[in-house]
Amino acid sequence: MKATGIVRRIDDLGRVVIPKEIRRTMRIREGDPLEIYTDNDGEVIFKKYSPIGELSGFAGIYAEVLHKTGGSPVVVCDRDHVVAVSGIPKKELLERRVSPSLEEMMEARQTFTLTASNAGRLQPVEGSDRLALAAAPILSAGDVCGAVMFLKEDSTAAASEADVKLISAAASFLGRQMEE
């Protein structure tokens, strides 16, 4: 665990303020759920809660099926990190941070489609040169929980209508799974 040198007092209602610098660094936004852990040494640990992370095993299986059906590599992520990968080596992207452009797409609740004519490219994962072919946000109970996407392969110039429909269906399905 890394010390920050920041000390905060608990107020009379039992609240403690997480400093802005830490919230920005950890991408914690107002309303984000946090899990609270304790250990035998008396430490209290806050961790961002990821509903998609709870389904990572299921999301991995779904990504494999989607890859076999669509033929392109598949990535499933929560709002911050990649949780499942299929069609490329998992070490390449698993648990990496999502890019700010993917975050913006998710927050806007937009579906991304790579076309031959559009100049906009979506690089979904930080530190990776891979581009998205089609991406859709995962919505559960009206909240954005993550995204699912096909990644562009060298030979693909644009997303087909089938690619977009498969990704949209996958996002809807994963969203419904989290509601149950």
Side-chain angles (χ1 to χ4, degrees), residues 18-86:
I18 300 171
K20 187 176 186 175
E21 303 82 30
I22 292 174
R23 290 189 316 241
R24 187 181 309 122
T25 303
M26 300 304 295
R27 296 183 177 181
I28 298 171
R29 299 178 261 313
E30 183 180 329
D32 280 354
L34 299 175
E35 284 184 286
I36 303 170
Y37 296 92
T38 60
D39 68 8
N40 294 337
D41 298 333
E43 293 177 329
V44 178
I45 301 162
F46 290 92
K47 180 181 176 189
K48 284 185 71 173
Y49 175 71
S50 169
I52 295 259
E54 297 287 318
L55 292 176
S56 63
F58 180 78
I61 293 168
Y62 197 86
E64 287 177 29
V65 171
L66 195 56
H67 166 64
K68 288 178 183 171
T69 305
S72 295
V74 176
V75 172
V76 180
C77 62
D78 62 16
R79 290 179 58 178
D80 297 306
H81 295 90
V82 174
V83 297
V85 177
S86 182

Side-chain angles (χ1 to χ4, degrees), residues 8-161:
R8 296 283 193 219
R9 293 196 184 277
I10 296 176
D11 71 8
D12 57 337
L13 295 176
R15 298 176 296 195
V16 64
V17 174
I18 300 171
K20 187 176 186 175
E21 303 82 30
I22 292 174
R23 290 189 316 241
R24 187 181 309 122
T25 303
M26 300 304 295
R27 296 183 177 181
I28 298 171
R29 299 178 261 313
E30 183 180 329
D32 280 354
L34 299 175
E35 284 184 286
I36 303 170
Y37 296 92
T38 60
D39 68 8
N40 294 337
D41 298 333
E43 293 177 329
V44 178
I45 301 162
F46 290 92
K47 180 181 176 189
K48 284 185 71 173
Y49 175 71
S50 169
I52 295 259
E54 297 287 318
L55 292 176
S56 63
F58 180 78
I61 293 168
Y62 197 86
E64 287 177 29
V65 171
L66 195 56
H67 166 64
K68 288 178 183 171
T69 305
S72 295
V74 176
V75 172
V76 180
C77 62
D78 62 16
R79 290 179 58 178
D80 297 306
H81 295 90
V82 174
V83 297
V85 177
S86 182
I88 56 172
K90 289 179 179 28
K91 289 181 183 179
E92 188 177 330
L93 297 179
L94 201 58
E95 296 188 16
R96 282 213 167 154
R97 280 194 128 146
V98 300
S99 69
S101 56
L102 180 60
E103 279 186 58
E104 288 173 21
M105 185 218 79
M106 287 189 285
E107 287 303 315
R109 300 166 187 250
Q110 297 174 333
T111 299
F112 171 82
T113 306
L114 179 67
T115 61
S117 62
N118 75 354
R121 305 265 186 236
L122 176 62
Q123 188 174 346
V125 182
E126 287 184 353
S128 173
D129 293 335
R130 293 188 180 268
L131 298 173
L133 184 63
I138 299 170
L139 304 174
S140 176
D143 295 326
V144 176
C145 300
V148 61
M149 67 205 82
F150 278 132
L151 295 180
K152 181 181 182 326
E153 300 215 90
D154 294 335
S155 61
T156 51
S160 69
E161 189 176 329

